[in-house]
Amino acid sequence: MPSTNSITPRNILSLAIPAIIAGIAEPLISLTDVAVIGNMKDNAVEGLLAVGLVGSFLSAIIWTLAQTKTSISSIVSNALGSNQLNKIHSLIPQVIWINITLGILIYLVTAPLATWIFTLYNAKGTTLNLSISYYQVRALGFPLTLSAFAIFGVFRGIQNTSWAMIASISGAIVNVILDYTLVYGIDSLIPAYGVMGAAYASLAAQIVMLIIALYFLNQKTPFRLHQLTWKPHPKLRKHIILTANFFLRSVAINVAIFLSYRYASGYGDEYGATHAILMNIWLFFSFFIDGFASAGNAIGGKLLGSKNVQGLKYLGKTTTTYGIIVALILITICGLFYKIIGHQFTDNETVFELFLSTFWIVLIMQPINAVAFVFDGIFKGWGEASYLRNLLFGLTAFVFIPALLILDYVNFQLNAIWIAFGLWMLGRAAILAIKFHLKIKTMQN
């Protein structure tokens, strides 16, 4: 656990590396689905597009509601830094049970509306039917995922990301094994379920992750899920306000993602399928780099609680440097295996060619993403939810959407979408970096 007076690279990496591994598990589940389904013999393009559309909508819901993870992490890390951890024991079960309830309600509302939802994404025919069936199974995991994420936020707040890593890796392994088994089948032993096999595999993975997270919560922390009190904790209001602002911030992010899928699907099924591949790779890279944001979130909240300005300066510089190095490594690896990566996701020649002509934009964005994610994580640890909300609303409305409309008008198609994302991320990185340094100067005065 890092000292409030001495932050070292070892402190940062001890949080960042497990967070990276834990963070990539969720997109790895989606990437596995995409790779396995993209190589099916029947309805591969339709299945790939359906999984991409459903994955986009699931991410929109989960990211939006999982902001409780960020807010509870901020509260716990601040309490740890000010030596007041014993004052939030009753808050943790309240937050987790709220997440479970939210997950159940979201499923009950969205499952009957699946046809209408995916029609909005321009899904039609076989793609629409596959989207509906796939979603209605995957969505059963909402309460599982949201409660697990809240628990992961508690772990991060007490400066431990290893437990979340173990839970996430276990879920990812279960998903990979069941994906290949249930999608393709095993001779006469297990039938091939196709796209639905991927849905069942993902649901099983979510169950495994939650069981392991609950084990660590009850065995390794002072918090207990069953110790629920009906009297609201004094910090529950702060948690709800932070969550609401992070919720609105996620709405802005998901508007951009929704528009990207809507435009890509509008260009044709092959374009939509290619975009699904690119988006899942982008998310995988994002969660990979986001490990340093998780370290910034956990340590930054604690340093703010102990008013350690020099530690914050060092944290910002070091986590940014590490994030950029990882981004450059990812670019180099993908550059060397550019075509091989494309072939792992599809055998369709049109989709493959579209992938080759667009993937380079995803790659050159990565150092920019690293800067944006790291400072975003630190600001989350500080509880700067309203600032992050306003920033994302502004960039989505005045950068992403205008860029997408203009570039679409000149027929850039998939390139229009990804250039718009690149400009959007550049705005996030530049503004957050400037804001961070201004805040540090203010704290020093």
Side-chain angles (χ1 to χ4, degrees):
M1 184 179 298
S3 164
T4 56
N5 297 315
S6 177
I7 301 301
T8 67
R10 182 177 179 180
N11 300 145
I12 294 170
L13 292 174
S14 67
L15 287 172
I17 293 174
I20 288 170
I21 298 171
I24 64 175
E26 181 64 27
L28 183 60
I29 289 173
S30 296
L31 271 177
T32 303
D33 288 354
V34 168
V36 172
I37 291 168
N39 286 286
M40 291 191 310
K41 293 181 180 178
D42 299 319
N43 297 323
V45 171
E46 293 87 353
L48 192 56
L49 179 53
V51 169
L53 296 179
V54 173
S56 172
F57 183 69
L58 284 168
S59 296
I61 298 294
I62 291 171
W63 283 358
T64 301
L65 297 180
Q67 297 310 309
T68 52
K69 174 178 70 173
T70 303
S71 60
I72 197 61
S73 174
S74 173
I75 291 171
V76 172
S77 62
N78 271 266
L80 182 66
S82 56
N83 295 315
Q84 296 181 339
L85 205 60
N86 61 317
K87 295 183 179 180
I88 61 169
H89 282 190
S90 63
L91 174 65
I92 305 307
Q94 289 179 358
V95 170
I96 295 171
W97 280 109
I98 286 172
N99 271 25
I100 292 171
T101 304
L102 277 174
I104 294 171
L105 288 175
I106 292 296
Y107 176 79
L108 293 175
V109 170
T110 60
L113 297 174
T115 302
W116 176 75
I117 291 169
F118 295 109
T119 299
L120 290 177
Y121 280 83
N122 276 333
K124 300 179 287 290
T126 302
T127 298
L128 178 60
N129 292 332
L130 289 173
S131 297
I132 294 166
S133 301
Y134 181 74
Y135 175 75
Q136 289 177 335
V137 172
R138 282 292 307 270
L140 288 169
F142 275 142
L144 307 174
T145 300
L146 294 178
S147 51
F149 279 3
I151 296 171
F152 291 171
V154 174
F155 295 163
R156 185 195 298 174
I158 59 175
Q159 317 291 282
N160 186 302
T161 53
S162 297
W163 302 331
M165 176 191 71
I166 294 170
S168 298
I169 288 176
S170 301
I173 291 171
V174 168
N175 182 79
V176 170
I177 294 171
L178 291 181
D179 243 351
Y180 282 94
T181 303
L182 299 178
V183 172
Y184 299 141
I186 301 179
D187 298 327
S188 59
L189 298 176
I190 300 174
Y193 289 98
V195 171
M196 294 309 298
Y200 299 137
S202 296
L203 185 61
Q206 290 168 316
I207 293 171
V208 169
M209 283 193 284
L210 178 58
I211 290 172
I212 295 174
L214 286 170
Y215 168 80
F216 282 115
L217 180 74
N218 284 286
Q219 297 297 319
K220 303 293 185 179
T221 77
F223 309 116
R224 299 292 179 269
L225 184 61
H226 64 272
Q227 293 178 343
L228 178 65
T229 59
W230 293 105
K231 181 181 179 181
H233 188 278
K235 288 189 178 293
L236 185 61
R237 183 174 181 273
K238 177 183 178 181
H239 167 72
I240 292 172
I241 291 172
L242 283 174
T243 299
N245 281 307
F246 286 134
F247 173 95
L248 292 172
R249 169 187 172 275
S250 292
V251 168
I253 294 173
N254 287 305
V255 164
I257 293 176
F258 165 75
L259 288 174
S260 75
Y261 270 103
R262 182 172 174 82
Y263 272 75
S265 300
Y267 300 140
D269 283 357
E270 286 82 4
Y271 287 86
T274 306
H275 184 63
I277 295 171
L278 294 169
M279 180 58 73
N280 277 281
I281 293 175
W282 186 73
L283 291 174
F284 177 80
F285 286 173
S286 298
F287 279 98
F288 201 103
I289 297 171
D290 200 49
F292 294 102
S294 295
N297 179 289
I299 300 173
K302 186 181 179 186
L303 291 174
L304 185 67
S306 61
K307 305 186 187 307
N308 187 342
V309 179
Q310 292 305 313
L312 286 171
K313 287 177 64 176
Y314 180 81
L315 177 68
K317 178 182 177 180
T318 307
T319 49
T320 302
T321 301
Y322 286 155
I324 292 173
I325 290 171
V326 170
L328 293 174
I329 292 172
L330 289 172
I331 291 174
T332 302
I333 294 172
C334 291
L336 291 173
F337 300 100
Y338 198 90
K339 291 186 177 181
I340 295 173
I341 291 170
H343 277 304
Q344 298 307 304
F345 291 99
T346 184
D347 288 330
N348 183 284
E349 194 60 36
T350 303
V351 173
F352 179 70
E353 291 301 325
L354 287 169
F355 174 86
L356 294 183
S357 66
T358 314
F359 187 39
W360 64 273
I361 304 176
V362 177
L363 294 182
I364 64 173
M365 288 168 59
Q366 297 314 308
I368 298 170
N369 290 3
V371 176
F373 292 151
V374 165
F375 285 117
D376 190 78
I378 293 174
F379 275 79
K380 287 177 181 176
W382 289 351
E384 294 271 4
S386 59
Y387 179 79
L388 294 174
R389 175 203 65 202
N390 294 338
L391 175 63
L392 263 295
F393 268 108
L395 289 172
T396 301
F398 299 110
V399 176
F400 180 83
I401 293 176
L404 177 61
L405 293 174
I406 292 168
L407 295 171
D408 173 71
Y409 179 77
V410 296
N411 204 34
F412 272 40
Q413 296 183 321
L414 283 183
N415 285 347
I417 294 170
W418 286 100
I419 292 172
F421 269 123
L423 294 172
W424 185 66
M425 291 303 300
L426 181 61
R428 288 177 67 181
I431 294 172
L432 286 174
I434 293 169
K435 175 72 173 178
F436 174 82
H437 292 294
L438 290 175
K439 188 173 180 68
I440 292 296
K441 285 185 178 180
T442 302
M443 292 173 67
Q444 287 178 318
N445 294 334

